Amino acid sequence: MQQRYVGNSGFRVSSLSLGTMSWAQETDEQDAAEVLHAFVAAGGTVIDTAASYGQGRAEAMVGSMLGDVVARSEVVLSTKAGVSSTESRRSVNASRGAMLSALDASLARLGTDYVDIWFAHEWDPNVPLEETLSALELAQRTGRARYVGISNYNGWQTAKAAAIAGFTLVANQSEYSLVQRRVEDELIPAVEDAGLGIMAWAPLGRGVLSGKYRGQIPADSRAAQSRLTAYVEPYLEPRASRVVEAVAMAARGLGRSPMDVSLSWLLSRPGVATAIVGARNAVQLKELLDAQLTVLPAEISRALEDVSAA
Protein backbone atom coordinates (compact mmCIF):
# COMPACT_ATOMS: atom_id res chain seq x y z
CA MET A 1 0.00 0.00 0.00
CA GLN A 2 1.28 3.46 -0.89
CA GLN A 3 2.74 5.60 1.91
CA ARG A 4 2.05 9.32 1.66
CA TYR A 5 3.17 12.45 3.49
CA VAL A 6 0.55 14.49 5.34
CA GLY A 7 0.56 18.10 4.19
CA ASN A 8 3.97 19.75 4.40
CA SER A 9 5.07 17.58 7.33
CA GLY A 10 7.29 14.52 7.57
CA PHE A 11 4.37 12.52 8.98
CA ARG A 12 3.72 9.47 6.77
CA VAL A 13 0.51 7.49 6.49
CA SER A 14 -0.81 4.67 4.36
CA SER A 15 -3.20 5.70 1.58
CA LEU A 16 -5.96 3.83 3.41
CA SER A 17 -6.45 4.18 7.16
CA LEU A 18 -8.45 1.69 9.20
CA GLY A 19 -11.33 3.34 11.04
CA THR A 20 -12.63 1.73 14.23
CA MET A 21 -15.90 3.56 14.87
CA SER A 22 -17.76 0.24 14.67
CA TRP A 23 -15.42 -1.68 16.97
CA ALA A 24 -16.95 -3.01 20.18
CA GLN A 25 -20.36 -2.25 18.67
CA GLU A 26 -21.00 -3.82 15.25
CA THR A 27 -17.52 -5.37 15.04
CA ASP A 28 -16.61 -7.94 17.68
CA GLU A 29 -13.11 -8.84 18.86
CA GLN A 30 -12.64 -11.77 16.49
CA ASP A 31 -13.64 -9.79 13.39
CA ALA A 32 -11.56 -6.82 14.54
CA ALA A 33 -8.46 -9.00 14.98
CA GLU A 34 -8.88 -10.49 11.48
CA VAL A 35 -9.34 -7.05 9.94
CA LEU A 36 -6.37 -5.55 11.77
CA HIS A 37 -4.02 -8.39 10.87
CA ALA A 38 -5.03 -8.34 7.19
CA PHE A 39 -4.80 -4.55 6.99
CA VAL A 40 -1.26 -4.44 8.37
CA ALA A 41 -0.20 -7.43 6.26
CA ALA A 42 -1.32 -5.48 3.18
CA GLY A 43 0.89 -2.52 4.12
CA GLY A 44 -1.68 -0.45 5.95
CA THR A 45 -0.34 1.48 8.92
CA VAL A 46 -2.88 3.97 10.30
CA ILE A 47 -5.38 2.79 12.92
CA ASP A 48 -7.85 5.60 13.55
CA THR A 49 -9.95 5.66 16.70
CA ALA A 50 -11.35 8.14 19.24
CA ALA A 51 -12.11 8.38 22.93
CA SER A 52 -15.82 8.57 22.10
CA TYR A 53 -16.02 5.44 19.91
CA GLY A 54 -18.04 2.92 21.89
CA GLN A 55 -17.45 5.14 24.94
CA GLY A 56 -13.80 4.13 24.92
CA ARG A 57 -14.32 0.46 24.16
CA ALA A 58 -12.93 0.78 20.62
CA GLU A 59 -9.65 2.14 21.98
CA ALA A 60 -9.53 -0.65 24.55
CA MET A 61 -10.03 -3.23 21.80
CA VAL A 62 -7.22 -1.72 19.74
CA GLY A 63 -4.99 -1.73 22.81
CA SER A 64 -5.72 -5.39 23.53
CA MET A 65 -4.38 -6.32 20.09
CA LEU A 66 -1.13 -4.38 20.16
CA GLY A 67 1.65 -6.89 20.75
CA ASP A 68 -0.61 -9.89 20.12
CA VAL A 69 -2.15 -9.32 16.69
CA VAL A 70 0.28 -6.65 15.48
CA ALA A 71 3.34 -5.00 16.98
CA ARG A 72 3.02 -1.44 18.26
CA SER A 73 5.91 -0.48 15.96
CA GLU A 74 3.95 -1.62 12.90
CA VAL A 75 1.07 0.81 13.31
CA VAL A 76 0.42 4.53 13.35
CA LEU A 77 -2.08 5.24 16.12
CA SER A 78 -4.50 8.10 15.61
CA THR A 79 -7.03 9.10 18.24
CA LYS A 80 -9.22 12.07 19.12
CA ALA A 81 -10.56 13.82 22.21
CA GLY A 82 -13.15 16.48 22.96
CA VAL A 83 -16.34 14.56 22.24
CA SER A 84 -18.18 12.19 24.53
CA SER A 85 -21.11 10.03 23.48
CA THR A 86 -23.69 7.93 25.26
CA GLU A 87 -26.74 6.17 23.88
CA SER A 88 -28.85 9.28 24.38
CA ARG A 89 -26.45 12.22 24.35
CA ARG A 90 -23.46 13.62 22.53
CA SER A 91 -21.47 16.48 24.03
CA VAL A 92 -18.40 18.52 23.08
CA ASN A 93 -15.84 19.68 25.64
CA ALA A 94 -12.51 20.80 24.21
CA SER A 95 -11.29 22.53 27.36
CA ARG A 96 -7.66 21.99 28.33
CA GLY A 97 -8.55 19.90 31.35
CA ALA A 98 -11.04 17.69 29.55
CA MET A 99 -8.74 17.16 26.57
CA LEU A 100 -5.69 16.18 28.62
CA SER A 101 -7.70 13.92 30.92
CA ALA A 102 -9.16 12.22 27.86
CA LEU A 103 -5.70 11.75 26.37
CA ASP A 104 -4.37 10.08 29.51
CA ALA A 105 -7.40 7.78 29.54
CA SER A 106 -6.88 6.99 25.84
CA LEU A 107 -3.24 6.09 26.40
CA ALA A 108 -4.23 3.79 29.26
CA ARG A 109 -6.83 2.01 27.13
CA LEU A 110 -4.46 1.73 24.18
CA GLY A 111 -1.69 0.41 26.42
CA THR A 112 0.94 2.78 25.06
CA ASP A 113 2.74 5.86 26.30
CA TYR A 114 2.21 7.85 23.09
CA VAL A 115 -0.01 8.13 20.03
CA ASP A 116 1.36 9.04 16.63
CA ILE A 117 -1.25 11.74 16.05
CA TRP A 118 -3.85 13.25 18.39
CA PHE A 119 -6.78 15.40 17.28
CA ALA A 120 -9.16 17.88 18.80
CA HIS A 121 -12.26 15.99 17.66
CA GLU A 122 -14.53 18.96 17.08
CA TRP A 123 -14.72 22.74 17.33
CA ASP A 124 -16.03 23.83 20.74
CA PRO A 125 -17.76 27.24 20.60
CA ASN A 126 -17.79 27.45 24.40
CA VAL A 127 -14.02 27.19 24.86
CA PRO A 128 -11.39 29.68 23.65
CA LEU A 129 -9.50 28.18 20.73
CA GLU A 130 -6.22 29.09 22.43
CA GLU A 131 -7.15 26.82 25.33
CA THR A 132 -7.88 23.85 23.10
CA LEU A 133 -4.65 24.41 21.20
CA SER A 134 -2.69 24.60 24.45
CA ALA A 135 -3.72 21.01 25.21
CA LEU A 136 -2.46 19.87 21.81
CA GLU A 137 0.81 21.72 22.30
CA LEU A 138 1.40 20.21 25.75
CA ALA A 139 0.64 16.70 24.51
CA GLN A 140 3.21 17.12 21.75
CA ARG A 141 5.81 18.78 23.95
CA THR A 142 5.58 16.02 26.58
CA GLY A 143 5.83 13.24 23.99
CA ARG A 144 2.36 11.87 24.52
CA ALA A 145 1.57 12.72 20.89
CA ARG A 146 4.13 12.75 18.09
CA TYR A 147 1.93 14.93 15.89
CA VAL A 148 -1.31 16.84 16.47
CA GLY A 149 -4.22 18.02 14.37
CA ILE A 150 -7.82 19.15 14.28
CA SER A 151 -10.94 17.34 13.21
CA ASN A 152 -14.20 18.58 11.70
CA TYR A 153 -13.05 22.21 11.69
CA ASN A 154 -14.38 24.23 8.76
CA GLY A 155 -12.31 26.55 6.61
CA TRP A 156 -12.16 29.67 8.78
CA GLN A 157 -11.73 27.60 11.95
CA THR A 158 -8.79 25.75 10.38
CA ALA A 159 -7.19 28.97 9.15
CA LYS A 160 -7.52 30.58 12.58
CA ALA A 161 -6.14 27.53 14.40
CA ALA A 162 -3.12 27.31 12.10
CA ALA A 163 -2.47 31.04 12.38
CA ILE A 164 -2.43 31.26 16.19
CA ALA A 165 -1.13 27.82 17.17
CA GLY A 166 2.56 28.69 17.52
CA PHE A 167 3.34 25.05 16.74
CA THR A 168 2.71 22.74 13.78
CA LEU A 169 -0.71 21.30 13.09
CA VAL A 170 -0.27 18.62 10.44
CA ALA A 171 -3.79 17.43 9.59
CA ASN A 172 -7.50 18.02 9.55
CA GLN A 173 -9.82 15.04 9.67
CA SER A 174 -12.90 15.87 7.66
CA GLU A 175 -15.67 14.13 5.78
CA TYR A 176 -14.93 14.11 2.06
CA SER A 177 -16.29 11.98 -0.77
CA LEU A 178 -18.03 12.24 -4.13
CA VAL A 179 -21.34 12.76 -2.29
CA GLN A 180 -19.90 15.24 0.21
CA ARG A 181 -17.72 17.86 -1.47
CA ARG A 182 -18.47 20.91 0.67
CA VAL A 183 -14.87 20.87 1.95
CA GLU A 184 -13.73 22.08 -1.46
CA ASP A 185 -15.38 25.48 -1.00
CA GLU A 186 -13.30 26.76 1.92
CA LEU A 187 -11.57 23.97 3.83
CA ILE A 188 -9.28 22.67 1.09
CA PRO A 189 -7.93 26.16 0.26
CA ALA A 190 -7.40 26.81 4.00
CA VAL A 191 -5.64 23.49 4.52
CA GLU A 192 -3.37 23.97 1.52
CA ASP A 193 -2.49 27.51 2.57
CA ALA A 194 -1.59 26.36 6.09
CA GLY A 195 0.33 23.29 4.90
CA LEU A 196 -1.99 20.74 6.52
CA GLY A 197 -3.14 17.47 5.00
CA ILE A 198 -6.65 16.02 4.87
CA MET A 199 -7.34 12.65 6.47
CA ALA A 200 -10.73 11.99 4.90
CA TRP A 201 -13.42 10.13 6.84
CA ALA A 202 -16.48 8.52 5.22
CA PRO A 203 -14.66 8.44 1.85
CA LEU A 204 -17.33 6.06 0.53
CA GLY A 205 -20.19 8.38 1.44
CA ARG A 206 -21.01 6.42 4.60
CA GLY A 207 -21.19 3.28 2.49
CA VAL A 208 -23.46 4.40 -0.35
CA LEU A 209 -20.66 4.74 -2.92
CA SER A 210 -20.00 1.02 -2.63
CA GLY A 211 -23.26 0.56 -4.52
CA LYS A 212 -24.79 -1.72 -1.91
CA TYR A 213 -27.77 0.58 -1.36
CA ARG A 214 -28.81 0.70 -5.02
CA GLY A 215 -32.52 -0.18 -4.92
CA GLN A 216 -32.32 -1.82 -1.49
CA ILE A 217 -31.23 -1.51 2.12
CA PRO A 218 -29.29 -4.68 3.01
CA ALA A 219 -30.34 -6.22 6.32
CA ASP A 220 -26.77 -6.20 7.63
CA SER A 221 -26.05 -2.60 6.63
CA ARG A 222 -25.78 0.45 8.88
CA ALA A 223 -28.90 1.96 7.30
CA ALA A 224 -30.88 -1.03 8.55
CA GLN A 225 -29.84 -0.46 12.17
CA SER A 226 -31.95 1.99 14.16
CA ARG A 227 -28.86 3.40 15.89
CA LEU A 228 -27.18 4.31 12.59
CA THR A 229 -30.06 4.94 10.19
CA ALA A 230 -29.75 8.70 10.54
CA TYR A 231 -26.02 8.43 9.77
CA VAL A 232 -26.66 6.99 6.30
CA GLU A 233 -30.03 8.55 5.35
CA PRO A 234 -28.67 11.87 4.02
CA TYR A 235 -26.94 9.97 1.22
CA LEU A 236 -29.95 7.92 0.16
CA GLU A 237 -31.57 10.99 -1.41
CA PRO A 238 -31.97 11.42 -5.22
CA ARG A 239 -28.93 13.69 -5.70
CA ALA A 240 -26.60 11.20 -4.03
CA SER A 241 -28.25 8.35 -5.93
CA ARG A 242 -27.35 10.05 -9.22
CA VAL A 243 -23.72 10.16 -8.12
CA VAL A 244 -23.81 6.49 -7.12
CA GLU A 245 -25.18 5.55 -10.55
CA ALA A 246 -22.45 7.55 -12.28
CA VAL A 247 -19.80 5.82 -10.17
CA ALA A 248 -21.30 2.41 -11.00
CA MET A 249 -21.27 3.25 -14.72
CA ALA A 250 -17.64 4.40 -14.56
CA ALA A 251 -16.70 1.25 -12.67
CA ARG A 252 -18.27 -0.97 -15.31
CA GLY A 253 -16.48 0.86 -18.08
CA LEU A 254 -13.12 0.62 -16.35
CA GLY A 255 -13.53 -2.95 -15.13
CA ARG A 256 -13.06 -1.78 -11.56
CA SER A 257 -15.28 -1.73 -8.49
CA PRO A 258 -17.35 1.30 -7.41
CA MET A 259 -15.26 1.39 -4.21
CA ASP A 260 -12.08 1.56 -6.24
CA VAL A 261 -13.40 4.35 -8.45
CA SER A 262 -14.62 6.39 -5.49
CA LEU A 263 -11.43 6.02 -3.46
CA SER A 264 -9.15 6.56 -6.45
CA TRP A 265 -10.93 9.83 -7.24
CA LEU A 266 -10.65 11.00 -3.63
CA LEU A 267 -6.98 10.10 -3.19
CA SER A 268 -6.09 12.17 -6.25
CA ARG A 269 -7.72 15.32 -4.82
CA PRO A 270 -5.55 18.22 -3.60
CA GLY A 271 -4.52 17.97 0.03
CA VAL A 272 -5.84 14.44 0.66
CA ALA A 273 -3.29 12.21 2.38
CA THR A 274 -5.38 9.18 3.36
CA ALA A 275 -8.92 7.80 3.23
CA ILE A 276 -10.26 6.38 6.50
CA VAL A 277 -12.24 3.25 5.70
CA GLY A 278 -14.41 1.52 8.27
CA ALA A 279 -14.39 -2.11 7.17
CA ARG A 280 -16.46 -4.01 9.73
CA ASN A 281 -15.24 -7.49 8.79
CA ALA A 282 -12.60 -9.27 6.74
CA VAL A 283 -14.87 -9.60 3.68
CA GLN A 284 -15.41 -5.84 3.47
CA LEU A 285 -11.70 -5.21 4.01
CA LYS A 286 -10.72 -7.60 1.19
CA GLU A 287 -12.92 -5.66 -1.22
CA LEU A 288 -11.09 -2.49 -0.21
CA LEU A 289 -7.64 -4.04 -0.40
CA ASP A 290 -8.40 -5.39 -3.88
CA ALA A 291 -8.85 -1.82 -5.14
CA GLN A 292 -6.19 -0.55 -7.55
CA LEU A 293 -6.26 3.00 -6.11
CA THR A 294 -4.73 4.41 -9.28
CA VAL A 295 -5.51 7.73 -10.96
CA LEU A 296 -8.70 7.68 -13.02
CA PRO A 297 -8.72 8.76 -16.68
CA ALA A 298 -9.19 12.52 -16.86
CA GLU A 299 -12.51 12.28 -18.72
CA ILE A 300 -13.91 9.93 -16.08
CA SER A 301 -12.86 12.25 -13.26
CA ARG A 302 -14.44 15.24 -15.01
CA ALA A 303 -17.70 13.35 -15.54
CA LEU A 304 -17.86 12.34 -11.88
CA GLU A 305 -17.09 15.89 -10.75
CA ASP A 306 -19.83 17.26 -13.01
CA VAL A 307 -22.50 14.94 -11.69
CA SER A 308 -21.41 15.36 -8.06
CA ALA A 309 -21.17 19.17 -8.15
CA ALA A 310 -23.41 20.75 -5.52
Side-chain angles (χ1 to χ4, degrees), residues 55 85-90:
Q55 300 170 51
S85 299
T86 64
E87 292 296 329
S88 60
R89 187 168 176 268
R90 184 177 186 276

Side-chain angles (χ1 to χ4, degrees), residues 92-113:
V92 178
N93 183 351
S95 66
R96 179 184 172 94
M99 291 283 291
L100 293 173
S101 293
L103 176 58
D104 289 340
S106 291
L107 293 174
R109 286 189 291 265
L110 291 165
T112 183
D113 57 3

Side-chain angles (χ1 to χ4, degrees), residues 173-191:
Q173 271 200 22
S174 184
E175 183 174 8
Y176 191 10
S177 73
L178 274 165
V179 293
Q180 179 52 273
R181 295 178 59 194
R182 284 200 300 261
V183 299
E184 296 174 358
D185 297 335
E186 293 184 358
L187 180 59
I188 297 299
V191 161

